[in-house]
Amino acid sequence: MIDDVTLFGLKVLRQVAATGSFAAAASELGYTQSAVSRQMAALEAAVGEQLFERERRGVRLTPAAEIVLSGATRALAELETTGQQLAGLRDRAAGRW
Amino acid sequence: MIDDVTLFGLKVLRQVAATGSFAAAASELGYTQSAVSRQMAALEAAVGEQLFERERRGVRLTPAAEIVLSGATRALAELETTGQQLAGLRDRAAGRW
DNA sequence: GTCGGTTACGAGCACCGTAATTATC
DNA sequence: GATAATTACGGTGCTCGTAACCGAC
């Protein structure tokens, strides 16, 4: 089971995957490098699997990380959709169709 | 956007929906009533919508809560699937097919 | 020296449990 | 009184930023 992962950790992972480095992800998210580093360390601990190959210019995702990333993407998309449905509900409640 | 909701909050919501009361959900999850109450208050704040009708014997979910619940269920299912895929990865790595 | 990731330290805040409170039966 | 939710209070622990540190170029 992959428990005690956090939504924020998954968002950070997504950003790391998009940018290829902790530093870039941090700057993109408005956090510091160290915060991202710790978040990803926590994610690795929660998953129980190494997620990154540390390289000269950032990190590369391991196969395990790719799995987590795709699950994270789907889960976050569901929450995104949920937000849109709620907006729709509010519109209907306000009489705007 | 429905941001700063927490995975734990969604799990609590799921349990509240299953049991019909904060107290029962709390007992089921091994937390206190007050913790569940605060979690759901935080969820309502994050969603920006009332989620529960407080009634004599617990709570009833509002339409907004049903939307959140179904999104939460799908998101949590994605993470569940992710956990299974990781387990599969580990098995393959260990030479067990 | 630079760049990128890690880690010790201190501070702030998030979240819990206990317990008191309110409200409905 | 019993049940169920809310809330004040205190304490623990999480997570952040700063800053120092460790490679690899």
Side-chain angles (χ1 to χ4, degrees):
Chain A
M1 177 82 67
I2 138 185
D3 223 349
D4 58 314
V5 310
T6 174
L7 274 182
F8 181 57
L10 298 180
K11 290 181 189 172
V12 174
L13 172 63
R14 194 171 51 174
Q15 200 64 41
V16 168
T19 60
S21 86
F22 288 3
S27 144
E28 201 70 30
L29 292 166
Y31 284 82
T32 59
Q33 234 179 67
S34 79
V36 168
S37 174
R38 279 182 307 239
Q39 278 291 333
M40 295 300 93
L43 187 59
E44 284 185 318
V47 168
E49 203 79 39
Q50 190 181 348
L51 296 180
F52 308 101
E53 310 270 353
R54 275 74 174 176
E55 295 182 334
R56 176 66 189 90
R57 295 210 137 290
V59 297
R60 195 161 43 84
L61 301 198
T62 63
E66 298 287 355
I67 291 177
V68 176
L69 174 63
S70 84
T73 302
R74 289 193 303 270
L76 292 171
E78 290 294 350
L79 297 182
E80 184 65 34
T81 301
T82 301
Q84 293 166 3
Q85 291 173 343
L86 282 169
L89 180 72
R90 271 191 283 268
D91 285 350
R92 283 196 300 280
R96 295 188 295 274
W97 293 81
Chain B
M1 177 82 66
I2 136 185
D3 223 348
D4 59 315
V5 311
T6 174
L7 274 182
F8 181 56
L10 298 180
K11 289 180 189 174
V12 174
L13 171 63
R14 195 171 50 172
Q15 200 65 42
V16 168
T19 60
S21 87
F22 288 4
S27 142
E28 200 70 30
L29 293 166
Y31 285 82
T32 59
Q33 232 178 68
S34 78
V36 168
S37 174
R38 280 183 306 238
Q39 279 291 332
M40 295 301 92
L43 187 59
E44 282 184 320
V47 168
E49 203 80 40
Q50 190 180 349
L51 296 181
F52 308 101
E53 310 270 355
R54 275 72 176 176
E55 293 184 335
R56 176 62 189 93
R57 296 212 137 286
V59 296
R60 194 162 44 85
L61 302 198
T62 64
E66 298 287 355
I67 291 177
V68 176
L69 173 63
S70 84
T73 302
R74 289 193 301 270
L76 291 171
E78 290 294 351
L79 297 181
E80 184 64 35
T81 301
T82 301
Q84 292 167 3
Q85 292 173 341
L86 283 169
L89 180 72
R90 270 190 284 269
D91 285 351
R92 285 196 297 282
R96 295 188 295 274
W97 293 82

